Amino acid sequence: MTIPAEAQEAVKRFGISIEDYMLPVHGQIQILSEDGTMRPEDERGSSPGHQYPVPSDTELLEAYRRLVVGRRVNDQNSALVRQGRLAVYPSSHGQEACQVAAALCLRDGDWMFPTYRDAVAVMTRGVDPVEAMTLFRGDWHGGYDPHERNVGIQSTPLTTQLLHAVGVAHAAKLRGEETVVLAMCGDGATSEGDFHEALNFAAVFRLPVVFFVQNNQYAISVPLAHQTVAPSLAHKAVGYGMAGERVDGNDVVALLAVLDRAVTLARAGSGPLLVEANTYRMQAHTNADDATRYRNEAEVQAWAAKDPLNRMRHYLRSTGLLTDDVESAFAGDAEDVAQQLREGLSADPELDPQELFRHVFTEPTPQLREQAAFLADELTRDEQSGKELR
């Protein structure tokens, strides 16, 4: 086996074999039990080279605040779809721990490349909530400037964002920057060719990318068992010569710890890593989906008992970190964001028909200029006719 020098250094630091470094732990990393109690250190699924310290109380409290806001965002956006204010919304209800941890593990100069289901992660990263939802309103553009917060536009085509993420990481390495790129995808994306191309390129060129797979058990209506027979999606990393890890995707404590280490290793030059988070999409794929056609209520309820919000609330309450006043303040923060979404997405957008022609080519073609002039003439005559009628 050819082992890159960077990976050899990482292995030496942990004092383990290259196989133990690359292979995920048996089972998964879990720090908080499903009932919200802290698991003993020897029961967290860790192994040599795969130990994860518990984040600080300050980090955990902020993560919980973000969970509260994220849950309110999901509920509010689902309501806005029913009201006709949004065209579609892929809810991440039940996956908020993944969303929050993904954003909090990065520095300001790092990049995030999200999927269509990662609106909560995008907002946690600092993107304006209304701008983050503009795409789902049916506008022609993504809604926000990717360079403002180093967040790629939410990708609707499956897996294309992974190639973009690898490209940014490659550029950062060529420039000598310390940028780490977090490339987000779902379990369905691992069945796409772009997934292979992105991981293979990142591994060959030892790029600072963390591939974060939110395994919510279904690629729309296709269960994971019909997508792969690998022991886990994290095991796919080994085939590319990178390290893989499995983590409880409803345990925000474990997610923060695992993703923080992955980002730290990538920044230190260890090359790309793959993290699989086992979670569940509690609601339908989108408002256009009928999830009852491919999964049963008993399965949904079993996962409801693993809710990341309730788990974290129980733990913080037991430690005394979460008081009634603090929880009330967090709920107020969440309601402020919900109100911002309601007001921003209820306002009628200012439409300019000439935008149809402005961003097609850098230099408009003669045909486009002709069409734009024709439309401008039509708009002028309509405006004059309106004045005459008044």
Side-chain angles (χ1 to χ4, degrees):
M1 180 186 294
T2 302
I3 305 172
E6 298 92 342
Q8 291 184 38
E9 289 301 317
V11 169
K12 287 180 181 178
R13 287 199 300 272
F14 293 125
I16 56 178
S17 69
I18 187 66
E19 289 81 7
D20 286 339
Y21 171 70
M22 289 183 175
L23 285 169
V25 297
H26 297 294
Q28 62 180 357
I29 299 297
Q30 185 187 77
I31 296 177
L32 280 189
S33 299
E34 293 172 9
D35 62 3
T37 57
M38 185 73 72
R39 297 175 68 88
E41 192 167 349
D42 60 353
E43 296 179 11
R44 296 175 186 174
S46 58
S47 59
H50 296 260
Q51 295 101 339
Y52 298 94
V54 176
S56 68
D57 289 347
T58 301
E59 292 176 276
L60 296 183
L61 206 56
E62 175 61 12
Y64 177 72
R65 184 180 78 85
R66 299 286 190 166
L67 286 176
V68 173
V69 173
R71 178 61 55 85
R72 187 68 184 90
V73 164
N74 277 319
D75 292 346
Q76 182 62 75
N77 284 339
S78 295
L80 290 169
V81 169
R82 295 192 294 272
Q83 296 166 10
R85 303 297 181 182
L86 289 174
V88 66
Y89 182 62
S91 176
S92 61
H93 187 115
Q95 295 181 222
E96 291 93 350
C98 294
Q99 303 280 296
V100 168
L104 294 184
C105 74
L106 299 174
R107 295 180 183 174
D108 290 343
D110 295 334
W111 273 84
M112 170 193 288
F113 282 85
T115 74
Y116 51 82
R117 199 177 301 282
D118 296 327
V120 170
V122 171
M123 295 179 200
T124 304
R125 183 77 171 139
V127 173
D128 178 90
V130 176
E131 291 183 0
M133 295 314 302
T134 295
L135 178 69
F136 301 99
R137 192 178 189 178
D139 213 321
W140 61 266
H141 58 83
Y144 56 89
D145 178 0
H147 292 278
E148 185 176 342
R149 299 288 182 179
N150 287 8
V151 178
I153 296 299
Q154 291 178 256
S155 177
T156 299
L158 207 61
T159 324
T160 55
Q161 75 279 2
L162 299 190
L163 299 177
H164 305 157
V166 169
V168 168
H170 193 202
K173 185 172 182 178
L174 291 175
R175 292 170 179 164
E177 300 170 351
E178 290 190 345
T179 303
V180 172
V181 179
L182 184 75
M184 305 176 71
C185 69
D187 51 289
T190 65
S191 300
E192 295 286 329
D194 285 352
F195 179 83
H196 161 76
E197 293 172 11
L199 268 70
N200 196 57
F201 190 96
V204 169
F205 289 94
R206 309 303 300 168
L207 302 181
V209 184
V210 176
F211 295 97
F212 183 38
V213 182
Q214 296 176 74
N215 177 6
N216 64 16
Q217 314 305 316
Y218 288 93
I220 305 184
S221 60
V222 181
L224 185 66
H226 292 173
Q227 299 179 63
T228 181
V229 291
S232 75
L233 296 177
H235 279 79
K236 291 180 178 287
V238 182
Y240 299 98
M242 68 175 74
E245 192 66 287
R246 301 176 68 192
V247 59
D248 183 343
N250 286 16
D251 178 0
V252 73
V253 180
L255 282 162
L256 288 170
V258 170
L259 286 174
D260 181 71
R261 189 188 81 151
V263 169
T264 299
L265 288 172
R267 200 183 311 280
S270 296
L273 302 96
L274 187 151
V275 174
E276 175 194 1
N278 289 299
T279 183
Y280 196 76
R281 168 169 55 78
M282 293 300 300
Q283 298 179 346
H285 178 70
T286 69
N287 50 292
D289 173 43
D290 180 7
T292 63
R293 298 181 65 181
Y294 54 86
R295 65 184 192 186
N296 59 58
E297 186 61 23
E299 177 182 297
V300 176
Q301 290 306 312
W303 277 92
K306 306 175 185 180
D307 183 86
L309 195 67
N310 292 338
R311 184 185 301 193
M312 194 61 175
R313 178 188 294 119
H314 185 281
Y315 171 70
L316 292 175
R317 281 284 187 178
S318 69
T319 62
L321 290 170
L322 186 64
T323 64
D324 290 342
D325 289 343
V326 172
E327 183 131 38
S328 178
F330 290 175
D333 292 341
E335 192 53 46
D336 288 344
V337 175
Q339 182 177 353
Q340 188 178 351
L341 286 166
R342 288 195 301 271
E343 293 177 352
L345 296 172
S346 295
D348 292 329
E350 295 183 9
L351 303 178
D352 180 2
Q354 289 292 349
E355 284 186 340
L356 286 168
F357 308 102
R358 287 182 189 143
H359 307 289
V360 181
F361 295 103
T362 302
E363 292 293 332
T365 64
Q367 292 88 346
L368 281 177
R369 285 195 292 268
E370 181 182 349
Q371 292 171 18
F374 179 83
L375 178 60
D377 181 62
E378 287 285 323
L379 293 172
T380 300
R381 282 191 285 154
D382 286 348
E383 185 178 358
Q384 290 175 347
S385 298
K387 289 180 180 178
E388 291 173 1
L389 289 174
R390 287 196 294 271

